[in-house]
Amino acid sequence: MEREERRRRILHAIWIGALGVAACLLIALALLWPRCQGGACPSVEALESYRPPQASEVLDRDGHLIARLAPEQRIVVPISAIPSRVSGAFLAVEDRRFYQHRGIDFRRMAGALWRDLKSFSVREGSSTITMQLARNVFPQQIGPARTLRRKLWELVLAREIESKLSKDRILELYLNQIYLGNGLYGIEAAARGYFGKSVRDLTVAEAAVLAALPKAPTTYDPRRYPDAARRRRDLVLRVMADAGTITRDELRKALREKLRLVPPEETSGAPWFVAAVRRELHDRFGAEADTMGLRVRTGLDAGLQRVAERELTRQIASLERRRNKACVDDHAECLEGFFVALDPVSGDVRALVGGRDYAMSEFDRATQARRQPGSAFKPIVWAAALESGIPLSTLLAPDGGDYQPADRIALPVGPLNLREALRVSSNRAAVALGNRVGIPKVIEQARALGITTSIPEYPSTLLGAAEVVPLELVAAFAAFGNGGMRVTPRFMTAVEGRSGEVLWLPPVEMATAVQPGVAYLMTTVLRDVVERGTGMAARSEGPPGVPLAGKTGTTNDAQDVWFVGGTPELVGAVWLGYDKPRPLGPSSSGGRLAAPVFGRILREYYRNRPAPEPWTQPPDLEDREIDVASGGLAIAGCPPDRVGRELFLPGTAPTDCTEHHGGVLGFFDRVSRWLSSH
């Protein structure tokens, strides 16, 4: 009797305990059962049109990848493009009964439930593909990983997903969503990232490598841990054979296959350029542009970009060694620089280096800075003069005004004509010419050429004291090389959607800035600057046989040094200075520091490229012999050593020579010219 009574008491206690456990479970379920309100609720309906986020890609002018705009490397493919050997590998190892259950595999769950309850944790072993999809698509809404509440959310959402989507659609979403290590999301991106091929071309063994990764992408990373990856692959292959996904012969062949990976894909960098592209994309498509799967085509020349980065870095390092001023912790005190180049006809940006080190400073000194251009502004003054009908033969001398700036170097005594004055970069001649044209006219010309920053009506403006956006100054010089058209710099040539459809074609924006004749005359003067003027270092360091034109610039105390110029197919600029302006040191100038860098960059650029044809001379320009000492027309009586040739806009050539027009020779010369014109 005592034994029977004891057994009844034990059974009663067990029964009471079971009821207590059941009650606790019911209370826990009541408290933890998924519920939400408003926008925080996972929207299974949205999955019907859901497209996994896909990193937008930026491509150079040859279609090569420059950068991805989001860390998720994903290429979405339809289920019809995924071979059964690939999808079957994932089904065999992750969810063999996928096509039999309705989102929850109760058979698998039964074996794991007791372990979960005992450990008060949640194991992943019982998760179906549908449940994995739920937690991958709705990570924020269903809560932190490895909690009972999250597992309950997965159960609820899995059943709801199965009620609204087909099995193939669920599998398609899963295979495009799953993370497979090394920043690769989805099987197409992983196939290309690890094996350099599309998912449709994967072997059985390669498919098994990918199917091995969802369990632990880092642990089985085939690049970092090839032995562990192979062991896991072989296990997956055997599971595939057991599930009937592959035959025994296919298993034996796949087990013998070596693990052959392609090198990680390298992007060409150009971080400041990519940042500028990203800003424009966000302005047009919103912040989600980074993950819209766009293919952004640009005009960037990857070779020119690499050369520019290298040569600019070398020059900065060389200057720091010479001056014993290394860049230390205070980055604001570090020497900086930029290089930017664009196509003078389309405006396509060919290269952009916005500083010495993007990791140190993301500030783009070519597009976001405002700097004084110094003498690099003078060509705008000269263009305004030519537009006003003042010919290049005109002599310039100080006008006696209050503002008489000093020149940096000793110049020839006496007046200089426009061509010679710009060649030697005479400050006094620039002020004299600007006053003759009128500062408002110079400012108007700057606006026509695309300069948008504030330009005060001060005489110092004529010497480049007003700050400019460097890229705008480069675009202004482009007008001299393209026949007189203002061109807007363009970072993108086309934006395509995921399926290749064109979403946006940024137009080439051009407007008349100067007459074609003025543009050509400016180019000839700027060629003189590099051939025998302040920019000779660009010529000596530059590409032999390539037409080259440009202008140096140096501000007060050499706080900014420039070279702006280019060839018939490329226009650009080099700048060096400090973010907080301060002198660069004795003997610093654009000709000594910036022009050589520009020349070396172009030398490398044209090393394996044909030289472009020279700039085309407009047919209406007049070619005349002039007396270079007086600026007048060379006539009988003019000493031969003073005779030179000059080009003129129609109707602007001098008709006489004030110094040699008198006497009998002058009379017969005028009669001869009158007879020839009649």
Side-chain angles (χ1 to χ4, degrees):
M1 289 294 294
E2 288 184 12
R3 183 178 301 175
E4 186 68 23
E5 180 66 23
R6 187 181 306 151
R7 187 170 59 214
R8 282 198 303 269
R9 285 199 301 269
I10 292 174
L11 290 174
H12 181 73
I14 292 174
W15 175 247
I16 295 298
L19 287 176
V21 170
C24 290
L25 285 174
L26 288 174
I27 294 172
L29 286 173
L31 293 174
L32 296 174
W33 193 256
R35 60 178 65 86
C36 64
Q37 295 180 347
C41 294
S43 175
V44 174
E45 288 79 4
L47 282 179
E48 297 178 8
S49 58
Y50 174 72
R51 299 295 299 274
Q54 180 175 328
S56 294
E57 297 180 339
V58 182
L59 311 177
D60 68 15
R61 65 184 302 190
D62 296 320
H64 299 142
L65 182 68
I66 301 172
R68 292 187 178 89
L69 299 183
E72 293 189 13
Q73 300 180 39
R74 179 185 281 110
I75 303 171
V76 178
V77 290
I79 192 67
S80 59
I82 303 172
S84 58
R85 63 182 177 276
V86 178
S87 58
F90 282 85
L91 291 173
V93 73
E94 292 293 328
D95 191 353
R96 189 180 301 185
R97 288 175 19 88
F98 174 71
Y99 282 99
Q100 282 74 53
H101 64 67
R102 296 180 58 192
I104 304 172
D105 190 344
F106 291 103
R107 187 183 301 177
R108 290 179 66 189
M109 286 188 64
L113 181 59
W114 179 244
R115 291 192 301 273
D116 290 349
L117 289 173
K118 285 197 303 181
S119 63
F120 293 98
S121 64
V122 178
R123 299 178 182 270
E124 304 296 337
S126 63
S127 293
T128 64
I129 279 178
T130 314
M131 294 167 65
Q132 292 182 52
L133 177 64
R135 67 168 172 261
N136 284 329
V137 175
F138 305 114
Q140 302 301 321
Q141 293 95 326
I142 66 178
R146 297 185 179 276
T147 62
L148 182 58
R149 180 177 178 81
R150 179 178 175 126
K151 178 62 70 174
L152 293 174
W153 260 119
E154 291 176 15
L155 296 174
V156 171
L157 290 173
R159 294 302 295 267
E160 191 174 351
I161 289 171
E162 293 268 350
S163 70
K164 290 183 168 59
L165 302 179
S166 68
K167 285 287 188 179
D168 283 351
R169 174 60 175 159
I170 293 170
L171 185 58
E172 177 184 270
L173 286 171
Y174 170 79
L175 292 175
N176 281 295
Q177 185 75 24
I178 193 71
Y179 178 59
L180 297 172
N182 287 286
L184 301 167
Y185 289 78
I187 54 172
E188 179 69 12
R192 297 188 188 187
Y194 289 121
F195 304 111
K197 60 178 72 172
S198 173
V199 65
R200 63 177 177 271
D201 300 320
L202 292 177
T203 66
V204 170
E206 290 167 344
V209 171
L210 299 189
L213 290 169
K215 179 178 178 64
T218 300
T219 302
Y220 301 117
D221 182 343
R223 287 204 174 94
R224 297 176 61 190
Y225 308 111
D227 293 338
R230 178 161 185 157
R231 287 193 298 270
R232 175 69 178 170
R233 179 204 70 174
D234 293 349
L235 175 61
V236 172
L237 287 170
R238 293 187 176 92
V239 171
M240 292 171 67
D242 292 343
T245 305
I246 58 175
T247 66
R248 291 294 166 180
D249 287 341
E250 288 175 319
L251 171 63
R252 285 190 288 272
K253 180 181 177 182
L255 288 172
R256 291 194 300 269
E257 187 173 313
K258 293 182 179 180
L259 191 64
R260 295 186 178 91
L261 305 175
V262 297
E265 184 178 42
E266 293 185 5
T267 59
S268 62
W272 286 281
F273 180 87
V274 172
V277 169
R278 190 195 303 270
R279 288 192 294 269
E280 285 198 17
L281 283 175
H282 286 187
D283 289 343
R284 188 164 190 89
F285 297 99
E288 64 274 14
D290 291 1
T291 55
M292 288 174 61
L294 305 175
R295 289 176 67 81
V296 184
R297 301 191 179 276
T298 75
L300 186 87
D301 188 299
L304 178 63
Q305 177 72 24
R306 286 192 294 270
V307 170
E309 291 174 354
R310 184 184 70 231
E311 293 300 332
L312 184 65
T313 300
R314 284 180 177 176
Q315 181 72 333
I316 290 174
S318 174
L319 292 175
E320 287 180 334
R321 284 195 302 271
R322 272 187 269 165
R323 290 165 169 75
N324 195 27
K325 293 181 179 180
C327 180
V328 290
D329 295 337
D330 188 357
H331 296 160
E333 297 299 317
C334 295
L335 180 62
E336 284 288 354
F338 73 70
F339 174 83
V340 63
L342 52 83
D343 184 309
V345 176
S346 67
D348 292 338
V349 177
R350 296 292 187 219
L352 173 61
V353 186
R356 62 183 291 157
D357 185 347
Y358 190 77
M360 178 190 297
S361 170
E362 298 179 9
F363 181 64
D364 184 351
R365 292 153 188 85
T367 67
Q368 297 175 316
R370 304 289 187 273
R371 304 295 300 206
Q372 292 182 350
S375 294
F377 186 83
K378 289 176 183 175
I380 296 177
V381 180
W382 263 244
L386 291 173
E387 281 285 304
S388 300
I390 301 174
L392 289 175
S393 61
T394 303
L395 297 182
L396 297 171
D399 60 3
D402 293 334
Y403 186 64
Q404 292 293 320
D407 286 306
R408 292 179 55 84
I409 59 174
L411 299 179
V413 178
L416 298 170
N417 64 31
L418 266 67
R419 181 178 293 276
E420 288 298 297
L422 192 59
R423 179 181 70 83
V424 298
S425 197
S426 169
N427 288 340
R428 293 190 175 188
V431 172
L433 181 61
N435 287 337
R436 180 169 175 176
V437 174
I439 297 177
K441 177 67 176 178
V442 172
I443 296 173
E444 181 183 336
Q445 185 64 73
R447 296 283 180 247
L449 287 165
I451 304 297
T452 63
T453 48
S454 175
I455 305 177
E457 290 189 29
Y458 299 145
S460 59
T461 289
L462 304 170
L463 304 180
E467 294 180 339
V468 298
V469 177
L471 184 59
E472 292 183 354
L473 185 63
V474 173
F477 272 65
F480 302 144
N482 68 19
M485 303 299 291
R486 180 183 75 235
V487 62
T488 301
R490 187 172 66 157
F491 285 93
M492 295 175 281
T493 59
V495 179
E496 300 170 358
R498 295 187 186 207
S499 303
E501 72 280 15
V502 177
L503 302 180
W504 184 37
L505 286 174
V508 174
E509 299 180 13
M510 304 185 79
T512 300
V514 293
Q515 303 173 55
V518 170
Y520 184 78
L521 290 176
M522 286 303 307
T523 299
T524 67
V525 178
L526 294 174
R527 288 193 75 171
D528 284 350
V529 172
V530 300
E531 297 294 342
R532 54 192 186 91
T534 60
M536 287 191 296
R539 175 79 282 171
S540 62
E541 297 282 346
V546 174
L548 186 61
K551 183 69 184 74
T552 56
T554 308
T555 61
N556 286 342
D557 298 323
Q559 298 186 74
D560 301 83
V561 295
W562 299 72
F563 182 86
V564 188
T567 72
E569 61 184 5
L570 196 72
V571 61
V574 168
W575 168 88
L576 293 163
Y578 292 92
D579 286 340
K580 295 179 180 179
R582 60 188 176 92
L584 289 171
S587 303
S588 296
S589 68
R592 289 190 176 95
L593 303 185
V597 183
F598 193 89
R600 288 193 287 269
I601 291 172
L602 290 198
R603 179 185 286 268
E604 289 300 312
Y605 180 67
Y606 281 103
R607 186 174 295 279
N608 298 310
R609 296 174 62 92
E613 292 295 322
W615 293 274
T616 302
Q617 178 177 323
D620 61 344
L621 290 182
E622 300 173 359
D623 189 339
R624 296 284 187 270
E625 286 189 340
I626 63 167
D627 175 11
V628 294
S630 67
L633 193 68
I635 63 173
C638 183
D641 61 346
R642 290 171 49 171
V643 175
R645 303 201 70 87
E646 188 55 87
L647 294 172
F648 298 90
L649 297 175
T652 64
T655 58
D656 209 337
C657 180
T658 57
E659 189 171 341
H660 303 105
H661 74 278
V664 176
L665 291 176
F667 170 77
F668 282 114
D669 184 80
R670 290 193 297 276
V671 171
S672 175
R673 283 189 282 111
W674 182 87
L675 290 173
S676 65
S677 64
H678 289 75

